[in-house]
Amino acid sequence: MKTIISFLIMLMFTSASAQDKQVFTKITEGDQLIYLLASPSLKGDISLEETINSRRSRRSFAPDGVTDVHLSQILWSAYGVTKPSTNPQRSGLRSAPSAGARYPLEIYAVVGNVPGIEPGVYKYDAIQHRIIRVIAADVRKELTSAALNQKMVADAPFSVFYSAIYSRITDRYGDRGRDRYVCMDLGHSAQNVYLQAEALKLGTCAIGAFNDEMVKAVMLLPENEVPLYIMPIGKVK
Ligand SMILES: Cc1cc2nc3c(=O)[nH]c(=O)nc-3n(C[C@H](O)[C@H](O)[C@H](O)COP(=O)(O)O)c2cc1C
């Protein structure tokens, strides 16, 4: 009897840990492919101080070794909701500060080789912590050409891509919002990505040098979105 009970307890724990490994759920809504991402981890292996000390721009990446858990954690660190609002019309507060809490940034994951996630371009929906596919193809090579052939974009398993909708900020702050606040917001969020990548033993590099028109075409960006940064993410070679 004792053996049967221990076996049942063991089985319970086995299935619980197997369930924990189910880090995202793939669903379709109409013809939209959506991945509900894993809850972020609030504990890391190295201290914030060590992370700041070791952060560097990394430009040489292995073609694999990045998981969906990494992707989920990095998107959350970039712009995830850390204090949800009780008002369903509002997003709540995020991992990065934003002037007037206007959150002008749009964040995409350009996925090439992340096991379990189909290659393509996905928009990050921070409020529901999920990604929604907007392009069903691996566009890393095309994005590399648009980024003045900076090869790290093609090599990295995925990139975080930033654009901004300026009117969210200029509506309230006018020129000051355009000239200062949008890029200040971007810097805060991108630094989180740098530090989170480092803490996950991955690397990244902020890329601001690219051809805007080519990037917009590759990413199929709506007219009101301005491309700002590409941040390839990968295991450093
Ligand atoms: C606004 C901005 C744009 C950048 N654009 C590029 C880029 O296009 N390509 C690149 O290799 N590095 C780019 N970088 C990374 C810088 O070259 C890097 O931060 C700098 O050399 C300092 O090195 P560190 O980040 O390792 O401290 C950019 C950094 C910033 C802040």
Side-chain angles (χ1 to χ4, degrees):
M1 185 62 181
K2 224 169 151 187
T3 327
I4 295 175
I5 291 173
S6 346
F7 176 72
L8 285 175
I9 290 173
M10 203 182 79
L11 204 67
M12 264 169 59
F13 276 97
T14 314
S15 59
S17 63
Q19 217 172 35
D20 290 346
K21 281 187 194 136
Q22 177 66 40
V23 290
F24 63 81
T25 312
K26 181 177 174 182
I27 58 172
T28 44
E29 275 178 18
D31 56 0
Q32 273 191 325
L33 177 63
I34 298 172
Y35 294 94
L36 312 178
L37 300 174
S39 304
S41 167
L42 302 183
K43 293 257 184 289
D45 292 339
I46 65 171
S47 72
L48 176 62
E49 292 79 2
E50 289 168 305
T51 311
I52 291 171
N53 191 49
S54 60
R55 184 212 62 81
R56 283 273 74 79
S57 292
R58 320 281 184 183
R59 297 181 176 84
S60 183
F61 301 113
D64 49 22
V66 172
T67 68
D68 52 280
V69 180
H70 293 141
L71 180 140
S72 170
Q73 189 72 23
I74 283 173
L75 291 176
W76 170 81
S77 72
Y79 229 30
V81 175
T82 48
K83 191 173 191 295
S85 172
T86 44
N87 177 349
Q89 304 303 317
R90 304 197 60 143
S91 86
L93 300 174
R94 309 283 184 91
S95 58
S98 172
R102 306 295 282 192
Y103 302 109
L105 305 175
E106 294 289 313
I107 297 184
Y108 297 81
V110 180
V111 176
N113 184 19
V114 180
I117 301 186
E118 287 183 30
V121 176
Y122 296 83
K123 187 167 220 180
Y124 179 46
D125 169 6
I127 296 167
Q128 300 201 47
H129 191 48
R130 61 184 190 164
I131 49 174
I132 302 161
R133 188 167 70 184
V134 292
I135 301 176
D138 182 352
V139 301
R140 289 178 298 169
K141 285 215 172 82
E142 291 80 354
L143 197 56
T144 302
S145 307
L148 318 180
N149 291 318
Q150 300 193 65
K151 198 173 154 290
M152 55 185 146
V153 177
D155 294 342
F158 86 96
S159 286
V160 175
F161 177 90
Y162 284 96
S163 65
I165 299 178
Y166 273 67
S167 58
R168 286 190 198 143
I169 288 255
T170 53
D171 283 357
R172 183 183 289 185
Y173 300 111
D175 289 352
R176 191 174 184 84
R178 189 195 61 232
D179 298 341
R180 298 185 181 210
Y181 294 164
V182 169
C183 281
M184 287 172 175
D185 277 31
L186 173 70
H188 291 299
S189 174
Q191 180 72 355
N192 283 0
V193 171
Y194 260 111
L195 295 177
Q196 181 69 81
E198 201 71 34
L200 292 170
K201 299 189 177 72
L202 301 172
T204 189
C205 179
I207 297 181
F210 49 74
N211 178 309
D212 287 4
E213 292 314 313
M214 282 172 78
V215 166
K216 281 195 223 166
V218 170
M219 294 292 292
L220 302 179
L221 287 189
E223 261 314 299
N224 62 344
E225 284 185 34
V226 177
L228 292 176
Y229 255 166
I230 306 167
M231 298 186 75
I233 308 282
K235 274 208 178 304
V236 178
K237 266 215 287 208

